[in-house]
Amino acid sequence: MSNSIVKPYIPLCEPNLKGNEKKYVAEAIDSNWLSGGSFLNLFEKQLAEFTGAAYAVGISSGTTALQISLILAGVEPQDLVIVPNLTFVATANAVKYIGAEPILLDINPETWVMDLNLLRNFLEKETYIEEDSCYLSVNHRRIKAIIPVHLLGNMCDMNDLLALANKYHLTIIEDAACSLGSFQNGKHSGTYGVAGALSFNSNKIITTGGGGAILTNDAGLAKKARHLITQAKSSTTDYFHDTLGYNYRLVNPLAAIGVAQMECLPMYIKTKQEIVGYYQNELSGIGAQFQLISSNTISNFWHVSFLVKNRNELISFLQSQNIETRPLWIPINQLPIFRACWGIDKDW
């Protein structure tokens, strides 16, 4: 019999469900309100109050939150939407879902969010304005919107982006899937643009198992979002649907999990910030390059990530020690469906 000690397995991340989740889910089930109900209303209220958004609309996922937000922003088939080249594929997929095409913008190598100098140069040299819309000069297609992704909790410089967006008539939709609990100049991620998309997937800082939310300060857009995600049913009794709708509601039992998670969110953020501080201190001697947090930004530090040489060797070694790590996402332009997309990079 071997005397070797088996080390406990340390996963990359796992949900923390040690609060009132079971209690609230049981209450939601006992209420017999599943599609909607008091927990959904409360969860949306918690999100709005925490983020400072006027409205929060619960939805089935962060991806569907992006898709509906693009529709709310008036993006139409054949339009172009600027997205960062380094993001989870859902950002670009949501653009494709509505028949639009992404323009892939390279990231700042230090902050890992959109390189706004590249964006400014591109807009000045390769676009033109006509009737309050921005068009790509090479093919005269409208560039309707831009989606900054607040990667790993870090935020794009939103004041700079707002100025560019206003000048070139671009609508901002924020992908805040990673950044619940991140603030810039005292303002929460997802509240700068016309809409912001949150995700509550099982690996996010809070989870509902599956789910998301749309943040907006526009009452009309919040009302339209609720209408679209309930199959665009325009009457509570008659089955009259006045436009193309979607079955994208966040259900009450999952919202009940969200209510319990929101009670713990400040503690989760504090813990994440302490963890990244520990890693930055302990790994300073191995040449690890950590993400530079943007000016005036408080990050939720959703995941601890860093650049390091011989990445695959490090991953293999940690795996041998029962420690799970993963590489960050493959750039969007290297995925088969997006290889033909227009790109903005440092060689442009």
Side-chain angles (χ1 to χ4, degrees):
M1 182 176 179
S2 174
N3 292 322
S4 62
I5 298 174
V6 177
K7 296 180 180 180
Y9 183 72
I10 301 175
L12 178 69
C13 62
E14 57 184 359
N16 186 335
L17 302 173
K18 298 178 182 178
N20 289 313
E21 289 83 5
K22 289 183 180 179
K23 175 185 175 184
Y24 293 166
V25 169
E27 290 178 13
I29 293 171
D30 289 343
S31 74
N32 214 31
W33 284 93
L34 300 182
S35 295
S38 61
F39 280 106
L40 178 56
N41 295 335
L42 177 55
F43 185 41
E44 291 178 339
K45 183 174 183 290
Q46 287 174 317
L47 289 169
E49 290 178 350
F50 182 85
T51 62
Y55 305 94
V57 180
I59 194 167
S60 58
S61 71
T63 308
T64 55
L66 284 170
Q67 181 184 354
I68 295 299
S69 294
L70 286 161
I71 295 171
L72 298 177
V75 178
E76 299 177 349
Q78 301 306 310
D79 278 345
L80 299 172
V81 178
I82 300 171
V83 304
N85 195 34
L86 183 63
T87 181
F88 184 56
V89 70
T91 314
N93 280 346
V95 176
K96 282 277 194 180
Y97 291 161
I98 60 174
E101 287 288 328
I103 294 178
L104 304 175
L105 174 64
D106 207 353
I107 59 164
N108 181 298
E110 296 183 329
T111 63
W112 309 351
V113 294
M114 278 184 165
D115 189 323
L116 298 188
N117 289 326
L118 278 179
L119 176 64
R120 183 179 293 105
N121 193 36
F122 165 74
L123 292 172
E124 287 175 355
K125 296 181 177 180
E126 293 296 322
T127 71
Y128 65 93
I129 304 299
E130 186 175 286
E131 296 181 353
D132 293 333
S133 291
C134 182
Y135 293 88
L136 185 60
S137 298
V138 70
N139 57 17
H140 310 292
R141 289 175 66 176
R142 183 174 70 159
I143 308 174
K144 175 60 180 173
I146 184 166
I147 306 178
V149 176
H150 303 311
L151 196 80
L152 303 171
N154 195 18
M155 291 180 64
C156 184
D157 185 335
M158 292 307 297
N159 286 337
D160 196 4
L161 182 58
L162 282 167
L164 280 173
N166 289 335
K167 181 177 180 180
Y168 289 94
H169 305 279
L170 302 175
T171 303
I172 295 175
I173 300 154
E174 294 174 74
D175 185 337
C178 302
S179 58
L180 178 62
S182 296
F183 292 82
Q184 188 175 99
N185 296 311
K187 192 169 182 178
H188 196 278
S189 66
T191 64
Y192 281 85
V194 297
L198 300 176
S199 171
F200 309 125
N201 193 31
S202 59
N203 65 347
K204 295 301 190 293
I205 194 163
I206 71 165
T207 184
T208 56
I214 296 171
L215 303 178
T216 184
N217 292 316
D218 188 306
L221 292 183
K223 182 178 180 181
K224 184 175 181 181
R226 296 187 192 281
H227 183 59
L228 290 174
I229 67 176
T230 52
Q231 297 287 20
K233 189 167 179 272
S234 61
S235 169
T236 57
T237 55
D238 298 326
Y239 287 93
F240 183 78
H241 308 266
D242 56 18
T243 190
L244 179 65
Y246 308 85
N247 183 18
Y248 286 171
R249 292 172 294 180
L250 180 65
V251 296
N252 202 43
L254 294 187
I257 298 175
V259 169
Q261 291 276 288
M262 286 297 293
E263 294 173 350
C264 300
L265 179 57
M267 177 186 67
Y268 294 163
I269 295 170
K270 182 175 182 293
T271 301
K272 292 278 189 180
Q273 292 169 342
E274 290 173 350
I275 289 171
V276 77
Y278 172 83
Y279 277 112
Q280 287 173 340
N281 181 63
E282 295 298 317
L283 299 181
S284 60
I286 69 166
Q289 179 187 334
F290 286 84
Q291 183 183 35
L292 178 67
I293 302 304
S294 302
S295 178
N296 299 315
T297 298
I298 299 174
S299 174
N300 71 352
F301 290 110
W302 171 52
H303 270 324
V304 177
S305 299
F306 54 86
L307 293 174
V308 66
K309 293 181 179 179
N310 302 320
R311 180 195 69 184
N312 292 340
E313 291 180 21
L314 179 58
I315 290 174
S316 296
F317 171 75
L318 292 172
Q319 187 66 37
S320 73
Q321 303 300 306
N322 277 347
I323 300 171
E324 182 185 15
T325 59
R326 294 180 191 172
L328 201 55
W329 309 297
I330 295 173
I332 299 298
N333 70 330
Q334 295 180 25
L335 303 178
I337 193 173
F338 297 108
R339 283 177 183 159
C341 292
W342 185 273
I344 311 167
D345 58 34
K346 289 178 175 56
D347 295 324
W348 169 82

